[in-house]
Tab-separated table of all heavy atoms in Angstrom:
chain	number	residue	atom	x	y	z
A	1	GLY	N	3.661	5.423	3.650
A	1	GLY	CA	3.935	4.149	4.312
A	1	GLY	C	2.920	3.104	3.900
A	1	GLY	O	3.247	1.927	3.751
A	2	GLY	N	1.694	3.539	3.685
A	2	GLY	CA	0.662	2.646	3.172
A	2	GLY	C	0.938	2.237	1.742
A	2	GLY	O	0.646	1.104	1.340
A	3	PHE	N	1.496	3.158	0.948
A	3	PHE	CA	1.899	2.791	-0.414
A	3	PHE	C	2.840	1.591	-0.365
A	3	PHE	O	2.680	0.616	-1.109
A	3	PHE	CB	2.634	3.957	-1.086
A	3	PHE	CG	1.770	5.094	-1.554
A	3	PHE	CD1	0.437	5.185	-1.200
A	3	PHE	CD2	2.299	6.096	-2.345
A	3	PHE	CE1	-0.349	6.251	-1.633
A	3	PHE	CE2	1.533	7.155	-2.792
A	3	PHE	CZ	0.207	7.233	-2.438
A	4	GLN	N	3.835	1.689	0.517
A	4	GLN	CA	4.808	0.598	0.636
A	4	GLN	C	4.148	-0.681	1.145
A	4	GLN	O	4.429	-1.777	0.644
A	4	GLN	CB	5.926	1.014	1.592
A	4	GLN	CG	6.756	2.196	1.120
A	4	GLN	CD	7.619	2.736	2.236
A	4	GLN	OE1	8.630	2.150	2.594
A	4	GLN	NE2	7.227	3.866	2.803
A	5	ALA	N	3.287	-0.538	2.139
A	5	ALA	CA	2.656	-1.714	2.734
A	5	ALA	C	1.782	-2.452	1.727
A	5	ALA	O	1.810	-3.686	1.637
A	5	ALA	CB	1.844	-1.302	3.958
A	6	ILE	N	1.007	-1.709	0.943
A	6	ILE	CA	0.152	-2.353	-0.055
A	6	ILE	C	1.009	-3.033	-1.116
A	6	ILE	O	0.760	-4.182	-1.498
A	6	ILE	CB	-0.810	-1.337	-0.698
A	6	ILE	CG1	-1.756	-0.742	0.355
A	6	ILE	CG2	-1.621	-2.001	-1.804
A	6	ILE	CD1	-2.605	0.405	-0.153
A	7	GLU	N	2.010	-2.314	-1.608
A	7	GLU	CA	2.908	-2.884	-2.620
A	7	GLU	C	3.576	-4.153	-2.090
A	7	GLU	O	3.686	-5.154	-2.803
A	7	GLU	CB	3.972	-1.853	-3.006
A	7	GLU	CG	5.057	-2.350	-3.941
A	7	GLU	CD	4.557	-2.747	-5.315
A	7	GLU	OE1	3.628	-2.083	-5.822
A	7	GLU	OE2	5.094	-3.730	-5.879
A	8	TRP	N	3.986	-4.128	-0.835
A	8	TRP	CA	4.666	-5.281	-0.249
A	8	TRP	C	3.714	-6.458	-0.082
A	8	TRP	O	4.074	-7.602	-0.354
A	8	TRP	CB	5.273	-4.883	1.085
A	8	TRP	CG	6.336	-5.798	1.610
A	8	TRP	CD1	6.770	-6.971	1.052
A	8	TRP	CD2	7.120	-5.608	2.792
A	8	TRP	NE1	7.769	-7.526	1.817
A	8	TRP	CE2	8.005	-6.710	2.888
A	8	TRP	CE3	7.168	-4.606	3.762
A	8	TRP	CZ2	8.912	-6.840	3.943
A	8	TRP	CZ3	8.066	-4.733	4.804
A	8	TRP	CH2	8.935	-5.843	4.890
A	9	ALA	N	2.499	-6.189	0.346
A	9	ALA	CA	1.516	-7.266	0.523
A	9	ALA	C	1.170	-7.927	-0.804
A	9	ALA	O	0.848	-9.120	-0.854
A	9	ALA	CB	0.260	-6.727	1.192
A	10	VAL	N	1.244	-7.154	-1.887
A	10	VAL	CA	1.018	-7.705	-3.231
A	10	VAL	C	2.251	-8.484	-3.700
A	10	VAL	O	2.145	-9.552	-4.304
A	10	VAL	CB	0.680	-6.571	-4.226
A	10	VAL	CG1	0.694	-7.088	-5.667
A	10	VAL	CG2	-0.681	-5.968	-3.897
A	11	THR	N	3.435	-7.956	-3.408
A	11	THR	CA	4.687	-8.571	-3.855
A	11	THR	C	4.960	-9.897	-3.168
A	11	THR	O	5.405	-10.863	-3.795
A	11	THR	CB	5.870	-7.611	-3.601
A	11	THR	OG1	5.638	-6.382	-4.300
A	11	THR	CG2	7.183	-8.214	-4.082
A	12	GLU	N	4.716	-9.947	-1.851
A	12	GLU	CA	4.975	-11.157	-1.062
A	12	GLU	C	3.716	-11.569	-0.275
A	12	GLU	O	3.680	-11.495	0.960
A	12	GLU	CB	6.130	-10.924	-0.081
A	12	GLU	CG	7.474	-10.717	-0.746
A	12	GLU	CD	8.622	-10.816	0.260
A	12	GLU	OE1	8.546	-10.181	1.328
A	12	GLU	OE2	9.598	-11.550	-0.034
A	13	PRO	N	2.699	-12.004	-0.969
A	13	PRO	CA	1.415	-12.282	-0.288
A	13	PRO	C	1.481	-13.380	0.765
A	13	PRO	O	0.655	-13.399	1.680
A	13	PRO	CB	0.487	-12.671	-1.443
A	13	PRO	CG	1.397	-13.102	-2.545
A	13	PRO	CD	2.608	-12.252	-2.424
A	14	ASP	N	2.435	-14.299	0.640
A	14	ASP	CA	2.517	-15.407	1.604
A	14	ASP	C	3.246	-15.026	2.895
A	14	ASP	O	3.260	-15.818	3.848
A	14	ASP	CB	3.225	-16.605	0.956
A	14	ASP	CG	2.411	-17.203	-0.171
A	14	ASP	OD1	1.186	-17.327	-0.011
A	14	ASP	OD2	2.999	-17.537	-1.225
A	15	VAL	N	3.822	-13.838	2.948
A	15	VAL	CA	4.602	-13.438	4.119
A	15	VAL	C	3.711	-12.887	5.241
A	15	VAL	O	4.007	-13.062	6.422
A	15	VAL	CB	5.663	-12.391	3.720
A	15	VAL	CG1	6.298	-11.731	4.943
A	15	VAL	CG2	6.738	-13.039	2.857
A	16	PHE	N	2.597	-12.248	4.892
A	16	PHE	CA	1.839	-11.473	5.864
A	16	PHE	C	0.548	-12.164	6.296
A	16	PHE	O	-0.208	-12.675	5.472
A	16	PHE	CB	1.526	-10.089	5.294
A	16	PHE	CG	2.762	-9.349	4.885
A	16	PHE	CD1	3.145	-9.294	3.540
A	16	PHE	CD2	3.577	-8.753	5.822
A	16	PHE	CE1	4.300	-8.646	3.153
A	16	PHE	CE2	4.739	-8.102	5.451
A	16	PHE	CZ	5.108	-8.044	4.125
A	17	LYS	N	0.308	-12.131	7.616
A	17	LYS	CA	-0.915	-12.710	8.177
A	17	LYS	C	-2.032	-11.671	8.285
A	17	LYS	O	-3.208	-11.980	8.081
A	17	LYS	CB	-0.638	-13.308	9.552
A	17	LYS	CG	0.353	-14.465	9.540
A	17	LYS	CD	0.621	-14.976	10.954
A	17	LYS	CE	1.629	-16.107	10.956
A	17	LYS	NZ	1.933	-16.574	12.347
A	18	ARG	N	-1.644	-10.449	8.627
A	18	ARG	CA	-2.628	-9.379	8.783
A	18	ARG	C	-2.019	-8.076	8.293
A	18	ARG	O	-0.827	-7.823	8.486
A	18	ARG	CB	-3.051	-9.229	10.253
A	18	ARG	CG	-4.141	-8.192	10.488
A	18	ARG	CD	-4.431	-8.012	11.970
A	18	ARG	NE	-5.422	-6.973	12.187
A	18	ARG	CZ	-5.688	-6.413	13.355
A	18	ARG	NH1	-5.014	-6.789	14.439
A	18	ARG	NH2	-6.602	-5.457	13.461
A	19	CYS	N	-2.840	-7.254	7.657
A	19	CYS	CA	-2.405	-5.945	7.171
A	19	CYS	C	-3.359	-4.866	7.654
A	19	CYS	O	-4.576	-5.082	7.720
A	19	CYS	CB	-2.348	-5.902	5.650
A	19	CYS	SG	-1.117	-6.994	4.896
A	20	LEU	N	-2.800	-3.703	7.953
A	20	LEU	CA	-3.594	-2.535	8.315
A	20	LEU	C	-3.128	-1.376	7.446
A	20	LEU	O	-2.002	-0.887	7.589
A	20	LEU	CB	-3.399	-2.214	9.801
A	20	LEU	CG	-4.138	-0.989	10.363
A	20	LEU	CD1	-5.643	-1.111	10.164
A	20	LEU	CD2	-3.799	-0.804	11.844
A	21	PHE	N	-3.976	-0.961	6.516
A	21	PHE	CA	-3.667	0.136	5.599
A	21	PHE	C	-4.488	1.350	6.025
A	21	PHE	O	-5.723	1.308	6.012
A	21	PHE	CB	-4.016	-0.237	4.159
A	21	PHE	CG	-3.375	-1.506	3.658
A	21	PHE	CD1	-4.076	-2.362	2.811
A	21	PHE	CD2	-2.083	-1.843	4.003
A	21	PHE	CE1	-3.498	-3.534	2.325
A	21	PHE	CE2	-1.494	-3.012	3.532
A	21	PHE	CZ	-2.203	-3.863	2.688
A	22	ILE	N	-3.820	2.443	6.381
A	22	ILE	CA	-4.487	3.615	6.944
A	22	ILE	C	-4.236	4.841	6.066
A	22	ILE	O	-3.082	5.173	5.766
A	22	ILE	CB	-3.973	3.912	8.364
A	22	ILE	CG1	-4.004	2.659	9.247
A	22	ILE	CG2	-4.788	5.039	9.009
A	22	ILE	CD1	-3.222	2.813	10.546
A	23	ALA	N	-5.323	5.514	5.664
A	23	ALA	CA	-5.212	6.782	4.935
A	23	ALA	C	-4.229	6.667	3.778
A	23	ALA	O	-3.217	7.381	3.723
A	23	ALA	CB	-4.799	7.901	5.890
A	24	THR	N	-4.523	5.781	2.856
A	24	THR	CA	-3.588	5.499	1.772
A	24	THR	C	-4.354	5.019	0.550
A	24	THR	O	-5.591	5.102	0.501
A	24	THR	CB	-2.546	4.461	2.248
A	24	THR	OG1	-1.496	4.383	1.289
A	24	THR	CG2	-3.162	3.099	2.491
A	25	ALA	N	-3.642	4.500	-0.456
A	25	ALA	CA	-4.279	4.050	-1.690
A	25	ALA	C	-3.341	3.115	-2.446
A	25	ALA	O	-2.127	3.150	-2.236
A	25	ALA	CB	-4.643	5.240	-2.584
A	26	PRO	N	-3.884	2.295	-3.347
A	26	PRO	CA	-3.039	1.406	-4.141
A	26	PRO	C	-2.425	2.073	-5.367
A	26	PRO	O	-1.597	1.475	-6.053
A	26	PRO	CB	-4.008	0.299	-4.549
A	26	PRO	CG	-5.329	0.977	-4.621
A	26	PRO	CD	-5.313	2.015	-3.542
A	27	ARG	N	-2.842	3.306	-5.640
A	27	ARG	CA	-2.263	4.033	-6.778
A	27	ARG	C	-2.346	5.530	-6.495
A	27	ARG	O	-3.332	6.018	-5.937
A	27	ARG	CB	-3.013	3.707	-8.076
A	27	ARG	CG	-2.418	4.397	-9.297
A	27	ARG	CD	-3.048	3.940	-10.596
A	27	ARG	NE	-2.366	4.536	-11.738
A	27	ARG	CZ	-2.623	4.257	-13.008
A	27	ARG	NH1	-3.578	3.370	-13.297
A	27	ARG	NH2	-1.945	4.832	-13.975
A	28	VAL	N	-1.312	6.267	-6.864
A	28	VAL	CA	-1.320	7.709	-6.662
A	28	VAL	C	-2.440	8.325	-7.500
A	28	VAL	O	-2.656	7.942	-8.653
A	28	VAL	CB	0.049	8.320	-7.016
A	28	VAL	CG1	0.356	8.179	-8.512
A	28	VAL	CG2	0.134	9.770	-6.574
A	29	SER	N	-3.160	9.257	-6.944
A	29	SER	CA	-4.270	9.905	-7.647
A	29	SER	C	-3.786	11.162	-8.364
A	29	SER	O	-2.748	11.738	-7.996
A	29	SER	CB	-5.366	10.290	-6.658
A	29	SER	OG	-4.911	11.331	-5.800
A	30	PRO	N	-4.529	11.637	-9.373
A	30	PRO	CA	-4.163	12.905	-10.012
A	30	PRO	C	-4.126	14.063	-9.011
A	30	PRO	O	-3.282	14.957	-9.134
A	30	PRO	CB	-5.267	13.099	-11.056
A	30	PRO	CG	-5.742	11.717	-11.374
A	30	PRO	CD	-5.657	10.976	-10.079
A	31	TYR	N	-5.021	14.034	-8.029
A	31	TYR	CA	-5.039	15.106	-7.031
A	31	TYR	C	-3.753	15.109	-6.207
A	31	TYR	O	-3.140	16.160	-6.000
A	31	TYR	CB	-6.258	14.945	-6.111
A	31	TYR	CG	-6.356	16.018	-5.049
A	31	TYR	CD1	-6.867	17.274	-5.360
A	31	TYR	CD2	-5.930	15.784	-3.743
A	31	TYR	CE1	-6.960	18.274	-4.401
A	31	TYR	CE2	-6.008	16.775	-2.778
A	31	TYR	CZ	-6.523	18.008	-3.108
A	31	TYR	OH	-6.603	18.995	-2.150
A	32	LEU	N	-3.331	13.946	-5.754
A	32	LEU	CA	-2.093	13.867	-4.981
A	32	LEU	C	-0.901	14.264	-5.845
A	32	LEU	O	-0.005	14.989	-5.391
A	32	LEU	CB	-1.895	12.458	-4.420
A	32	LEU	CG	-0.598	12.219	-3.635
A	32	LEU	CD1	-0.450	13.228	-2.499
A	32	LEU	CD2	-0.550	10.798	-3.099
A	33	SER	N	-0.872	13.809	-7.083
A	33	SER	CA	0.231	14.193	-7.986
A	33	SER	C	0.286	15.706	-8.170
A	33	SER	O	1.377	16.292	-8.241
A	33	SER	CB	0.059	13.518	-9.350
A	33	SER	OG	0.428	12.168	-9.303
A	34	ALA	N	-0.882	16.343	-8.238
A	34	ALA	CA	-0.923	17.799	-8.399
A	34	ALA	C	-0.356	18.497	-7.165
A	34	ALA	O	0.415	19.465	-7.287
A	34	ALA	CB	-2.354	18.258	-8.657
A	35	THR	N	-0.703	18.020	-5.977
A	35	THR	CA	-0.165	18.644	-4.764
A	35	THR	C	1.342	18.443	-4.679
A	35	THR	O	2.076	19.341	-4.258
A	35	THR	CB	-0.834	18.078	-3.495
A	35	THR	OG1	-0.485	16.703	-3.320
A	35	THR	CG2	-2.347	18.205	-3.561
């Protein structure tokens, strides 16, 4: 869900006033891909 939120905040930066990104990242890591 954080993946989507970060991507969306980048895609439409003028839409959002505040963002809360929890336990997430802007890019999938090799460790996550392995799991």
Side-chain angles (χ1 to χ4, degrees):
F3 284 10
Q4 296 167 76
I6 298 172
E7 174 65 36
W8 198 357
V10 170
T11 301
E12 293 193 312
D14 293 318
V15 168
F16 303 100
K17 297 178 181 178
R18 184 185 177 194
C19 295
L20 179 58
F21 305 143
I22 310 167
T24 191
R27 182 173 185 175
V28 66
S29 68
Y31 180 80
L32 177 55
S33 283
T35 67

